[in-house]
Amino acid sequence: MWAVRALSGALQGHLAPRLQDNDTVTSRELTGFLPLAESDPTQPFRRKASDWAWRLIFGAIGWPWLLRSLHGGSKADKRALMHALGLAPDSLPHLGSWKADTGFLRHIVMQIAQRRPAVAVELGAGASTLVAAKAMALHGGGHLISFDQHGGFVDATRQWVADNGLHVDIRHAPLDAQVEGWPGRWYNVSDLPERIDLIIIDGPPWSVHPLVRGAADSLFRRLSPGGVILLDDAARPGERLVARRWRKRWPDIDFRLMHDGTKGTLLGVKRAIGVPPAPSNDNRAAGRHALRAAGLAALIAVGWIARGALGEFPVAAQAADTRFIDAAVASHRTTLLRQTMRSQGENTVLDSAEISRSTGLRLPVLPLGWEVRDVQLYPTGGTSAVAVSLRTSRGEPVTLLTSRAETPAEGTPLVTKRENENIAYWEEGDQALALTGRVSAARALELAALLAKG
């Protein structure tokens, strides 16, 4: 009951201004869960009543996630991110609550560094605006267009970004538009480019409607082949329902939930060959979808409460997903091939601290007597992986691959085989690790256990 009372108090205080005229972006206070000017007399009463019902249901379901989201990441992670971007350690405000966490910001930096987007569109300005602007300035200098519903906040963010020597095309976009097939009110956006390489979705807040961010798919037709979608707060029940529908409607976009950070990030990558989207729901189908969604949300809540956790919603291990194993085998064969080619220089310097700062990936301590032969960044699953070519103390050539991925394994290594290679794989926190080599299954497990201990 205490949590319900706390949520009720937060809802009652939603009219408190999000940003005063004399506030600075780096010293913002935590805000309530609802946005400004929530009451709209132009909305039909039935729609307003329906939206409020959704808010109350999802507020009751999602209070453990809302409490956990107040933590925006460790100070060390925040310092590492600022160091990698060349920004002052105090450049960002306190993260968490309605602001992006370090996990989501790190994904923005990694995708910009990998893909060097010419055009990026951001929905919901804030900490992510500064991070994206700085990352784009460092990697290709593309054009960032950012939208937010609060005019005063837009002006303050524009000045804050300029104070850091950067420029963003940040625009005021009131929440007075409606997107067919999606509930709630959406940004009134205009003058968008025909092709967008990166879409960053961090708004509107869930209190407009738990499924409101689904309307971002009105921009997906403009996404270029290989373009990326990043959705913040992807572990919430509303965003999980949105992702479920996106996967069905946009079969040419591969969506994947990344579990790092306190809120979760949905990563979508558009394949080069387009597939037309499924049609939008009509009004009656939208009503049926709402009933199904409410039922599914209730089931999620029951499973979550039964598990007794305050973290992200539990997800079954994807035993049939072999992408990480396939990437491990491919990285091993590639590193061995590189070592036979004169034109391919090898990098034998393993700087674990730099890798952690730049990618957020942590490498295990190598056992005594192991030799580093090559270290490479390796693209996999729409994100970065690190491949380390090694020789064990017995002279066995093996490759260690680590990335953010889901596997059937947990902390104890499992083993599988691909042709002549055995792959031992395991998970540590939000990372998956795999050790690949032409060794026996028992030996692969033995070597993996040495790394897992480290």
Side-chain angles (χ1 to χ4, degrees):
M1 291 299 295
W2 65 269
V4 174
R5 286 196 296 271
L7 178 63
S8 176
L11 294 175
Q12 292 172 3
H14 75 275
L15 292 178
R18 175 170 162 179
L19 182 69
Q20 300 295 333
D21 291 341
N22 59 351
D23 284 342
T24 61
V25 178
T26 54
S27 62
R28 282 176 284 165
E29 300 294 333
L30 291 177
T31 62
F33 292 123
L34 296 187
L36 290 173
E38 186 63 29
S39 179
D40 183 356
T42 65
Q43 284 196 77
F45 173 78
R46 181 179 299 176
R47 184 192 303 170
K48 289 195 292 185
S50 173
D51 288 355
W52 269 104
W54 275 84
R55 293 172 193 156
L56 292 174
I57 292 170
F58 275 76
I61 291 171
W63 64 262
W65 181 92
L66 293 172
L67 291 179
R68 190 168 186 262
S69 72
L70 295 176
H71 175 63
S74 70
K75 292 182 179 179
D77 286 344
K78 184 176 174 182
R79 285 195 301 269
L81 181 66
M82 294 297 92
H83 177 78
L85 291 172
L87 292 170
D90 61 351
S91 295
L92 290 181
H94 171 74
L95 300 178
S97 185
W98 51 267
K99 310 178 191 76
D101 65 6
T102 52
F104 185 65
L105 297 178
R106 189 164 53 232
H107 278 294
I108 291 174
V109 174
M110 289 171 59
Q111 292 302 323
I112 290 174
Q114 279 186 325
R115 301 177 188 277
R116 296 175 175 264
V119 176
V121 171
E122 178 188 45
L123 303 165
S128 55
T129 309
L130 177 66
V131 168
K134 183 63 175 180
M136 292 183 74
L138 293 173
H139 302 287
H143 182 51
L144 173 61
I145 306 170
S146 180
F147 295 95
D148 196 88
Q149 69 267 33
H150 297 295
F153 185 66
V154 165
D155 295 337
T157 304
R158 183 185 295 112
Q159 184 59 52
W160 173 51
V161 171
D163 290 343
N164 283 274
L166 300 165
H167 170 73
V168 173
D169 182 2
I170 182 168
R171 308 175 187 176
H172 179 216
L175 295 179
D176 57 15
Q178 194 79 29
V179 174
E180 181 184 358
W182 291 103
R185 291 169 289 120
W186 186 244
Y187 296 107
N188 189 344
V189 299
S190 60
D191 298 326
L192 287 173
E194 285 300 316
R195 290 172 65 89
I196 302 172
D197 304 305
L198 174 63
I199 302 175
I200 302 169
I201 308 164
D202 195 19
W206 73 275
S207 51
V208 173
H209 193 286
L211 306 184
V212 66
R213 293 186 183 179
D217 76 350
S218 59
L219 275 63
F220 291 0
R221 292 179 186 275
R222 301 174 185 264
L223 194 65
S224 60
V228 170
I229 299 160
L230 291 173
L231 171 67
D232 194 17
D233 305 298
R236 289 193 304 209
E239 276 71 13
R240 285 183 180 268
L241 295 173
V242 165
R244 179 187 178 98
R245 186 169 169 194
W246 281 355
R247 288 187 176 98
K248 292 180 178 179
R249 186 156 191 263
W250 300 92
D252 60 339
I253 302 176
D254 295 318
F255 289 102
R256 185 179 180 199
L257 177 60
M258 314 299 285
H259 292 283
D260 54 329
T262 58
K263 303 181 180 185
T265 299
L266 184 71
L267 171 67
V269 181
K270 185 172 183 178
R271 294 194 297 275
I273 301 176
V275 178
S280 300
N281 291 350
D282 58 24
N283 292 334
R284 288 174 296 175
R288 292 194 297 270
H289 172 74
L291 292 175
R292 289 196 301 268
L296 180 58
L299 291 175
I300 292 174
V302 170
W304 189 13
I305 294 170
R307 183 161 168 163
L310 298 184
E312 297 169 348
F313 283 71
V315 181
Q318 298 179 4
D321 190 348
T322 64
R323 287 177 294 182
F324 179 67
I325 303 300
D326 294 339
V329 175
S331 68
H332 176 65
R333 294 173 181 173
T334 300
T335 55
L336 293 182
L337 179 62
R338 281 172 51 83
Q339 292 168 19
T340 66
M341 301 172 64
R342 291 184 181 180
S343 62
Q344 299 296 305
E346 296 176 1
N347 173 31
T348 60
V349 177
L350 178 59
D351 189 335
S352 299
E354 181 185 49
I355 289 172
S356 179
R357 287 194 304 269
S358 301
T359 68
L361 298 172
R362 303 170 301 280
L363 292 173
V365 177
L366 299 180
L368 291 176
W370 286 37
E371 176 189 358
V372 176
R373 302 297 303 275
D374 196 12
V375 182
Q376 298 290 332
L377 283 178
Y378 190 87
T380 175
T383 187
S384 291
V386 177
V388 184
S389 179
L390 301 162
R391 281 196 184 276
T392 69
S393 55
R394 297 185 188 176
E396 301 151 311
V398 294
T399 301
L400 173 68
L401 182 75
T402 181
S403 179
R404 287 188 175 83
E406 292 183 31
T407 74
E410 294 184 355
T412 302
L414 301 178
V415 68
T416 188
K417 189 170 185 178
R418 293 286 191 279
E419 297 182 9
N420 297 319
E421 292 98 353
N422 276 301
I423 308 98
Y425 59 98
W426 67 102
E427 293 186 2
E428 293 183 3
D430 60 355
Q431 291 181 214
L433 300 95
L435 190 73
T436 306
R438 293 194 176 189
V439 295
S440 68
R443 180 60 174 165
L445 286 172
E446 179 185 350
L447 296 173
L450 293 175
L451 294 171
K453 288 179 181 178

